[in-house]
Amino acid sequence: MASFGKFRWISRRFTAHPSAPLRICVVGSGPGGFYTAEKILKAHEKVEVDVIDRLPTPFGLVRSGVAPDHPETKIVTNQFSRVAQNERCSFFGNVCLGSSVTLPELREMYNAVVLAYGAESDRCLGIPGEELAGIYAAREFVWWYNGHPDCRNLDPDLKSTDTAVIFGQGNVALDVARILLRPTAELARTDIASHALAALEESSIRKVYLVGRRGPVQAACTAKELREVLGIKDLHIHIQPADLVTTPADEIEMKNNRIRKRVYELLSKAVTPAHAPYPGERELHFVFFHKPDKFLESNDRSGHLGGVQLEKTILKAFVGDDELVKQVAVGTGVYAEISCGLSLKSIGYKSIAIDGLPFDSDKGIVPNVGGRVLADASKDHMQYDTGLYVCGWLKRGPTGIIGTNLYCAEETLACISDDVDKGILTSNSPKPGRDGLLQLLDSRNTRVVTFDAWEKIDTEEKRRGNLKNRPREKLTTWEELLKVASE
Amino acid sequence: MFFSRFYRMGAHTIKSLVQAPTLTPRTSYLPVVHNQYLQVLRHELFSSTTAKLESEDGNEEKEKINVTFVEKDGEETHIKVPVGMSMLEAAHENDIDLEGACEGSLACSTCHVIVMDVDQYNKLPDPTDEENDMLDLAFGLTETSRLGCQIIAKPELDGLRLAIPAATRNFAVDGFKPKPH
């Protein structure tokens, strides 16, 4: 048995209800996965839920996405831990769908499978020069500073340039801008990965540009994140006053959307800084109405980013399907350049398809209706893939906050409950569920990390953090994570 | 450090909260103080709460108000809430299904409640910018929406009725469209 936190599960076999319980597997242990698990357990007294994750650590983007200086946002892991400790729930980390176990195998072993593995890839700009060194997806940069083991060695060069250009003006863009600009003494009190803290302490980046195709009314961030970045110590904010002039279409957009209105108001107030810039002060430039045209190679360093060329845009308004005013940016043929040695693309995450799963590559989601996976979306009649569900970003696309998953999970649960009531998920012979899964993983020498084993990682991270007056010091390599889990 | 102390105490605190049958002033339940602005705000909130509770410690019975929660299925639960306690805490002590992802630290909008009576809504102190930032993201926002963690029981609020918004089946792909507030 290669399982860590051994045999905790075995005792449960004998307490099973005489009529075999339904067994459901949730793939992915982020907010989408854990909220779904929680809701299934609450709604169905006899159902057993196993949550698997490809990482040895649970909680998905709460661990590797939420910024280190947002500890309050991570408090939700307390709730997810209580779910994992429910006697009808198990967590199995270091189990990768596709390589450790295939989707058909999971569906054979469980009455239902809920896919909630999120979005682990990125949209690309598709412009010349995108392959130059010094250009990263914001996701990679976020994973790097959050200690995700897959980006441990990203090693972005923060020392050869004083300027970073970020494409996108959503909350992820604001997060990465804040991490680049915030005094490192403040970051040193967070759970930011130690390698990232060290690199940021030596960073020469003084200027960050946040580039958006559209205007301040359309900026995709929320007021909270904006307020925070505007409040960074010793930071000079640059916004062109002319960009804040609104059109009637802008006014309609703001009237229809409270967030847009409040974000615009915050930006308007920030246009006149409290003081004149002083030498050495860091700068944050909001660049509106510009779209990326191409990345420019450095003259000094071959193959490395030297700048970006932007095209000025104007907005064209139209009325969308939902009868709301929408405005799209169109190019004007007027170009501008910004010299920079680092660029982060924060233009959206993208889910990854797996074998045997219907996938809509345009939208980057699994085709579904309310969380029920559609076997074939192209046909006129909708046919569901029985017993297969989705939740979270894989279902909706990569937008929304942690709480959005609550409602998303509720909707997916409604589909599952419906199918349970109809008897669709009941099998003639009991499904092997977690016993079957663990046997299979054992036969493949997969070293399963149980929740107990994760708690060893958790304890060790907190212990190391405590020594440095930090909430935790994350373990950031696969080797270390698996080693501590098996101690 | 506040940060690390909170982290170490977190889980323990929550357990003790769940088990504790009566209200005691709980310093550790205070949200993680993160920005200066909030620090001032919370300090005030907390100080006044403490003062009230301490002054009442001599009394046999703490002053309580009647609150009704209308849950997602329309079922009404009537509870008594000690003055000074937040509606989030009160809901959890009474097994009412109100989410509280950030445990009252003003970092999420999951404890969103709708104050059913406008007059009572008007008796509440105005939401701070920080609460409004979170309400921006609340599902099914209304003109009398508040965060449960920010409504603190006081005598004038006796008879308060709070609805927990239900998620609808036609969940939009892009989340939701908040109404103008």
Side-chain angles (χ1 to χ4, degrees), chain A residues 242-443:
Chain A
D243 287 347
L244 289 160
V245 176
T246 56
T247 63
D250 287 337
E251 295 296 332
I252 295 172
E253 277 197 65
M254 283 195 278
K255 194 167 155 275
N256 289 332
N257 188 319
R258 167 183 153 125
I259 303 181
R260 300 281 69 83
K261 181 166 174 277
R262 298 184 74 240
V263 163
Y264 174 79
E265 285 169 359
L266 278 173
L267 287 167
S268 303
K269 281 183 206 151
V271 77
T272 321
H275 62 92
Y278 57 79
E281 192 178 28
R282 294 187 177 192
E283 298 170 20
L284 177 62
H285 297 250
F286 284 86
V287 180
F288 296 106
F289 303 110
H290 280 82
K291 64 175 186 175
D293 184 60
K294 61 181 163 192
F295 291 105
L296 308 166
E297 190 173 349
S298 163
N299 293 328
D300 317 325
R301 298 169 75 197
S302 173
H304 203 280
L305 178 71
V308 293
Q309 179 168 301
L310 310 175
E311 183 180 7
K312 178 98 181 76
T313 67
I314 49 167
L315 297 190
K316 287 260 188 317
F318 68 98
V319 178
D321 298 340
D322 48 6
E323 296 185 355
L324 289 175
V325 171
K326 292 206 168 67
Q327 300 192 78
V328 291
V330 288
T332 58
V334 179
Y335 297 90
E337 270 183 40
I338 304 173
S339 296
C340 66
L342 177 71
S343 183
L344 301 169
K345 300 176 287 178
S346 182
I347 52 166
Y349 289 23
K350 210 171 83 185
S351 291
I352 299 170
I354 53 161
D355 281 349
L357 180 67
F359 197 77
D360 180 336
S361 40
D362 282 348
K363 293 183 186 157
I365 59 167
V366 171
N368 71 91
V369 177
R372 269 193 196 94
V373 175
L374 283 168
D376 194 343
S378 62
K379 285 180 187 164
D380 292 337
H381 69 289
M382 286 198 244
Q383 199 196 331
Y384 295 114
D385 213 332
T386 309
L388 191 61
Y389 308 87
V390 276
C391 191
W393 280 3
L394 191 59
K395 166 182 164 188
R396 296 179 279 121
T399 60
I401 53 171
I402 291 174
T404 314
N405 292 289
L406 260 173
Y407 302 101
C408 192
E410 216 157 275
E411 191 192 47
T412 298
L413 171 75
C415 297
I416 296 172
S417 298
D418 234 35
D419 292 351
V420 168
D421 291 347
K422 286 181 191 150
I424 292 175
L425 302 180
T426 323
S427 55
N428 293 331
S429 54
K431 294 281 189 174
R434 74 178 57 123
D435 294 2
L437 176 65
L438 288 172
Q439 272 168 27
L440 181 80
L441 294 170
D442 188 37
S443 74

Side-chain angles (χ1 to χ4, degrees), chain A residues 69 189 227 258 262 411, chain B residues 34 132-133 136 169 181:
Chain A
D69 53 353
R189 299 195 295 261
R227 197 185 299 283
R258 167 183 153 125
R262 298 184 74 240
E411 191 192 47
Chain B
H34 179 54
N132 271 324
D133 287 354
D136 276 354
R169 286 297 299 273
H181 191 65

